[in-house]
Amino acid sequence: MNRKKDKGFESPRPYKLTHQVVCINNINFQRKSVIGYVELTIFPTVVNLNRIKLNSKQCRIYRVRVNDLEAPFIYNDPTLEVCHHESKQRNLNYFSSAYTAAVSAVDPDAGNGELSIKVPSELWKQGDEMKVLKVYIEFSLDQPKGGLHFVVPDVEGSMAERAAHVFSFGNQNSTRFWFPCVDSYSELCTWKLEFTVDASMVAVSCGDLVETVYTHDMRKKTFHYMLPIPTAAPNISLAVGPFEILVDPYMHEVTHFCLPQLLPLLKHTMSYLHEIFEFYEEILTCRYPYSCFKTVFVDESYVQVSSYASMSIFSTNHLHSGMIIDQTPLSRRFLAQALAQQFFGCFISRMSWSDEWVLKGISGYIYGLYLKKTFGVNEYRHWIKEELDKIVQYELKMGGVLLHPTFSGGKEKDNPTPHLFFSIKHPHTLSWEYYKMFQCKAHLVMRLIENRISMEFMLQVFNKLLSLASTASSQKYQSHMWSQMLVSTSGFLKSISNVSGKDIGPLIKQWVDQSAVVKFFGSFAFNRKRNVLELEIRQDYTSSGTQKYVGPIKVTVQELDGSFNHTLQIEENSLKHDIPCHSKSRRNKKKKIPLMNGEEVDMDLSAMDADSPLLWIRIDPDMSILRKVEFEQADFMWQYQLRYERDVVAQVEAISALEKFPTPASRLALTDILEQDQCFYKVRMQACFCLAKIANSMVSTWTGPPAMKSLFTRMFCCQSCPNIVKTNNFINFQSYFLQKTMPVAIALLRDVQNLCPKEVLHFILDLIKYNDNRKNKFSDNYYRAELIDALTNSLTPAININNEVRTVDNLNTDVRLILEEITRFLNMEKLLPSYRNAITVSCLRAIRMLQRNGHIPSDPILFKSYAQYGHFVDVRIAALEAVVDYTRVDRSSAELQWLLDLVQNDPVHYIKHKILSMLAKNPPFTKAAESSLCNEALVDQLWKLMNSGTAHDWRLRCDVVNLYYALFGLTRPSCLPLPELGLVLNLKEKKAVLNPIIKSDPGPELEEEQHVVIEPALSGVAMAPQSLKRKAETLLCSSPEPGQIMQEEPSAKITVKTREEEDIDMETVHDSQAFIYHHLNMLERPSTPGKEVSSVEHAMLSMPGTPMPLLSKESMSSKHGDHHHHHHHHHHEHKKKKKKHKHKHKHKHKHESKDRDSHAFSNSPASGRSIRSPSLSD
Amino acid sequence: MADSAVMGSGSLNSGNRSAASKTSTSPSENYQLARRRTLQVVISSLLTECGFESAEKAAVETLTEMMQSYISEVGRCARANCEHTARSTPTLSDVVITLVEMGFNVDTLPAYAKRSQRMVITAPPVTNASVVPKALMTGQKRTHPPHIPSHFPEFPDPHTYIKTPTFREPVSDYQVVREKAASQRRDVERALTRFMAKTGETQSLFKDDISAFPLIAARPNSIPYLSALLPSELELQMLEETDSSEQDDQTDTENNPNNMIQDDQGADKENAVLPPGGGVPAGKPSEENMIDNPYLRPVKKPKVRRKK
């Protein structure tokens, strides 16, 4: 869609924002509230701007003034309650489309917003002069559930002493949660930010800190920030707390902030940030765009890292001291990610959601370059391989990930991703996992582009984007100049073709405009007579998540005479490819064999097929296609590949292939790799696990000590006493990682009875016993944790004689030993806690494993106590994982309820998110299986959670959708009572009516719904009568709000009109009126009782002599909708009059109690706010 | 009057006198008492010789005292004379000169000594007074080998050079040490955790036997990240012992306290004289000025309200 309009950027709004002031005067930690105002400076771009739509959620708005004139406004947020009227649909298709419609209705990229401000008529006349308007909004936030997060530890002392802090967060554009704004990545403006905080606190925000001034009473200070670089509202953030301040010793314009007492850790963690800066600036040949950079480390963070203009917010859990090995690369990676996003994501923003992939792609790609430089090529290639495997696995399982969705027009049926249970039209409707995969795919595609046009050109393109943006950013506001700072898919592709002169159209079409990956199956035969390798490459492009690939593919063949690359063309019908071999099979000659990298090695060729000169074959060795390759070659070829191919990716592939060949030769090859310290450590780690698997497959013929045991002894134990491990010295990280991993793998060994051999268990217990870290420079916490994991791995199911209760007395002796270790470790953790409580985490997992294997009684109480708020987050998640597992195994509804309560009430957003994703990953039941847990109450609870309970957090809502999908699938949950069948026909009618009204894309989903509905679902229409009643009641009860007054008359008019048209069956005027609103809501989804909004539409319409070019489309459609609607009623009533009567009444009785429930729920804070929201207008 | 033995003892006494004062049982004091008794006997016999039949005790004491002083003086002077001539042992001539100097006619001495009526007094019983502590003899004292002339000093006592092993070899070195360290640590840990478990709240994995594997109850912490992230004191200690090569820059350590101070002052409200006007940065060395970071700058005072 965007590709066509490459000339500049067309704003969806009738005005252009140029500057915004955000002033927060008061932050109250005790009450968790915030008071402030914003002032937006806007230039109308139409002649008569009479309405301004802004985004705002949660905010209590006190007054709005436009150029010092009080302006009436309406606050309406349809996402608060997605499906109204307690609809009994209960199926995801219905919800998804409704939710998408609701998000669209407030989508700033479509010019919409929750807050609609009527420009005072006095200002209209100035229209032709295009005068600047200043919109001033006073607002407050009280105990925000989204947008801002308060962390207030419950200890003695002042707020500063308690390390209380607050910071902004959100999924994608979520700034509207904490101040009114145009919450779009494409609306840039300059900023002035003022925060008045307690004198003991620091307020960190975007841009330059101009000055800090005391208030008159000297109790507070005000931080004044200026951000002269045009920035989108979603990139604005704030963090306030009693932070310790560290000026980066290498770069004085960079400042780091952490919570009290953590300064030493901060110093260590930040000691290499300057290297990342230097790296990016060098490759991009561009200076860091902002004049300063701030990093803030906060507790209870929403995500691990989030980037905003000139600042990044990290989880405080990434801080570490110099003694910690494992965290170091992780923290560096997060820093590098954050910084990459500063360039692409914050400084350069995007035109629309469908251009997001460019930003994520570029930032992910340059982050990859940093990884390559810092951690080496092996690490980089290994990472690419992992990422590729991840995306391939996801797409094959879930269906494709589409980077650049195009929604041509709006209400068409061509949903680009019909295979998904959510819409990808908005970032806020995406499942979190999908979004992660989206980012993963984006950077892989960037790498593909690099393969095509070379890295040099690639970096030139980035440089071009950056320099254009920085030129634009230094300009004062001119029309469209700032849009140079927005990247679009078309703009990006255009610069690629300008810079490189190459056409990457097919590549983009394949991977960006189209979802799914390629699945190859390869096999070969060697034709001795012709000395030709006959390679067959087949594709599976019919199963979900796959697509057909046509084009070049590289194949590398290692022959006796050397390594040869061949480029084959994959075409429509050719499966077989003949590749001429260079060497005759002549293995008698003792000659070194040249490898791809020029190295020449001696090989023992005795394992080879005497007739063939082929050592191994690789398909697409450079990973230049997003693919999965299943290639068949003989086991000895995989072994040669593992031993002699120098590419880590090839080694990794060989190892996973060798799992299927449990032979002594495979064993030898793996052992050799394990011993070779030249080999990349992650390959060796993987070899450990493969060796364990092979050993288990070969258990009956295995000779010698358990696999890897003697190897471990040789590498890590004392020479004089081989049963004692050397005192720890982790100075060599490769061997550290190996030492950590080997016991975990060894513990997976099983003997003929499928038990862990005693020898192995005692070996691990000895490792624990003799572990001595006194002389080590590094902490051994992760090592000890992995030793506990090893113990966990050694567990096998208990032999359970006639279901006896597990007691201490009948505890297996080996298990007793294990349990003793675990008890001691867990208790020691209370006295000497390890870094990130890694040991507690492992212990909890071990205990759950003991329970699951029936060694100790299954009981969630312990885990529940560790899952409480107040434990370290890793511990909580480990404990929750155990509870989730318990819920599934024991089918405990009490625990499920407990978990869901936590989802609703826990103060930490990340924990809520994790609970839901763990539940979705390990669901207590699925659609396929019958379960006592699956009942109506649960469906109701989840539905309410999804419908209105999670309106404050986009991510959480999508998590609930995810869980709902995992439990019930797309259709109506089977545990719900069957709906009356007589409504089916109504449904069809309804669909015909609804389609034009819902401007968003119900598309095929709705179509499907129709089919689905035939069996279980209830239609909205069917429910209408009694929901109407409720609606009507609500309307009657709620005293008219001030905002309503001005619309009194038009709405009455409508009523009259309706009465005329609607001649049948509707009980009261109110009912019919509400019924209409119900359908109108499909358009606007107001959460405030329908009346205001829809009547506003009409009010606007009926205002004489008001030209409304922008509104006309909308109002037309609603009118249209009305018409159809009534039409439908006539039609339908005539036909089905009698039937409907019957069913309707039945229904009423049946669901009366439900209705009351829903009514109560709608008074919950989330939805209640909308009803009581102060839509004042004087 | 007295023989040389007496004289010698007198001179010896002069050095000890001040030290020996009160009744005690040390050998030297015993010796002193014995000598004094001898002197009294001498005085008594002289008095008898002179024809006294009896004498008051006080008189005898006085005379004894005089006698002792006299002999002491003779001894002291004799020694002084001898030391004058760089010798350590007084000779007869030293004594003679002393006596002469003290105005005694030496020539009369032999005659006096040979007088007929003189009484012979038995020498005081010699208690094992001067017991020189014997050096511990270890081993055989070595004689000179043939090539060393005998006039060379003898070899020192063997104990000065003979090496004697003072400890036993452990049964088996490394293994036992490790074994011991490991089991010791384990015992300590187990005892400690058991103790903690016994004295505090616990959780149990078994319902039938709550005491079987007691777990110290999990207690939520109001600031959980601190204990999870900060290295424990034990670890820090170990780190110091092993190696602390990391040296962070000095500059920021200096910056920070400043800033914190500044904040604190802010917290102290207005009465704190408010140095932000310039006190803090100006007082700091030049590096402070080099680092121009807005977060280190002083907080400004509010402008005076003009409107009101």
Side-chain angles (χ1 to χ4, degrees), chain A residues 1107-1122:
Chain A
M1108 275 180 298
L1110 210 96
L1111 280 173
S1112 59
K1113 202 173 106 194
E1114 249 174 63
S1115 36
M1116 279 304 282
S1117 71
S1118 63
K1119 211 181 189 179
H1120 194 58
D1122 269 346

Side-chain angles (χ1 to χ4, degrees), chain A residues 1083-1134:
Chain A
L1083 175 67
E1084 277 290 337
R1085 310 237 150 249
S1087 62
T1088 35
K1091 196 166 179 177
E1092 290 142 76
V1093 170
S1094 42
S1095 45
V1096 162
E1097 301 283 347
H1098 291 274
M1100 298 269 182
L1101 249 182
S1102 56
M1103 259 173 235
T1106 310
M1108 275 180 298
L1110 210 96
L1111 280 173
S1112 59
K1113 202 173 106 194
E1114 249 174 63
S1115 36
M1116 279 304 282
S1117 71
S1118 63
K1119 211 181 189 179
H1120 194 58
D1122 269 346
H1123 173 69
H1124 260 262
H1125 182 73
H1126 299 304
H1127 179 72
H1128 141 67
H1129 260 276
H1130 292 296
H1131 190 61
H1132 137 101
E1133 297 303 345
H1134 287 311

Side-chain angles (χ1 to χ4, degrees), chain A residues 38 265 272 274 289 490 497 630 658 743 793 918 940 1113 1170:
Chain A
V38 293
L265 305 186
Y272 41 75
H274 64 284
S490 57
S497 81
E630 286 178 16
L658 281 178
N793 277 353
M918 287 189 293
D940 274 350
K1113 202 173 106 194
S1170 73

Side-chain angles (χ1 to χ4, degrees), chain A residues 153-155 162-163 199 202-205 209-219 221 225 243 245-247 249 252-255 257 259-263 265 267-268 294 299 316-317 319 321-323 718 720-721 723-727 765 768-777 779 806-808 811 816 819-821 823-824 826-828 830-837 847 855-857 859 862 865-866 868-872, chain B residues 173-183 185-190 192-194 196-197 203-210 212-236 238-239 241-246 248-257 259-260 262-271 274 276 287 290-305:
Chain A
D154 185 20
V155 280
R162 289 159 70 172
V202 186
V204 188
S205 186
L209 176 62
V210 182
E211 57 178 2
T212 318
V213 186
Y214 278 107
T215 52
H216 289 282
D217 60 2
M218 293 292 187
R219 287 165 187 271
K221 25 185 201 185
Y225 285 90
F243 297 121
I245 300 171
L246 170 68
V247 176
H252 294 163
E253 41 310 288
V254 176
T255 321
F257 301 86
L259 294 167
Q261 301 184 50
L262 299 176
L263 191 62
L265 305 186
K267 269 183 201 164
H268 179 80
K294 288 139 286 185
D299 190 25
T316 192
N317 304 334
L319 293 175
S321 71
M323 294 156 68
C718 307
S720 58
C721 34
N723 64 325
I724 296 180
V725 65
K726 283 182 199 159
T727 55
L765 288 172
I768 293 174
K769 181 176 168 191
Y770 292 116
N771 176 43
D772 186 345
N773 205 47
R774 281 174 299 180
K775 296 275 186 292
N776 199 358
K777 189 179 157 186
S779 164
R806 288 288 143 193
T807 59
V808 183
L811 204 59
R816 186 179 285 271
L819 199 50
E820 247 163 44
E821 292 301 333
T823 313
R824 194 168 49 83
L826 194 52
N827 284 340
M828 278 308 286
K830 303 287 187 312
L831 308 174
L832 287 175
S834 61
Y835 180 70
R836 293 195 75 153
N837 296 347
I847 291 174
H855 294 290
I856 59 174
D859 186 1
L862 179 77
S865 74
Y866 279 96
Q868 278 174 71
Y869 179 67
H871 286 285
F872 188 66
Chain B
D173 47 358
Y174 189 70
Q175 188 168 357
V176 175
V177 174
R178 288 291 301 278
E179 176 83 50
K180 212 170 194 175
S183 49
R185 199 195 51 206
R186 173 174 298 220
D187 290 346
V188 168
E189 286 184 5
R190 189 174 296 158
L192 183 62
T193 50
R194 283 267 156 96
M196 295 299 291
Q203 289 164 319
S204 176
L205 297 171
F206 291 92
K207 281 173 188 139
D208 56 327
D209 186 355
I210 296 171
F213 290 96
L215 297 173
I216 302 173
R219 201 161 291 143
N221 191 338
S222 41
I223 307 186
Y225 59 86
L226 282 183
S227 67
L229 297 180
L230 287 173
S232 65
E233 274 173 41
L234 187 79
E235 281 178 308
L236 282 178
M238 268 160 46
L239 194 68
E241 279 167 17
T242 48
D243 180 19
S244 56
S245 57
E246 282 161 311
D248 285 309
D249 280 52
Q250 292 290 307
T251 45
D252 36 76
T253 47
E254 278 172 32
N255 283 333
N256 259 298
N259 205 336
M260 291 330 282
Q262 208 169 302
D263 277 350
D264 288 346
Q265 283 164 343
D268 285 351
K269 299 170 207 168
E270 58 259 69
N271 52 9
L274 286 171
E287 59 190 87
M290 262 162 51
I291 300 176
D292 182 29
N293 186 294
Y295 293 94
L296 303 181
R297 279 180 214 146
V299 183
K300 291 184 185 166
K301 277 187 201 171
K303 287 171 202 159
V304 182
R305 282 181 237 181

Side-chain angles (χ1 to χ4, degrees), chain A residues 594-605:
Chain A
L595 300 178
M596 192 48 130
N597 59 357
E599 211 181 320
E600 299 204 332
V601 292
D602 282 315
M603 287 188 204
D604 172 19
L605 299 173

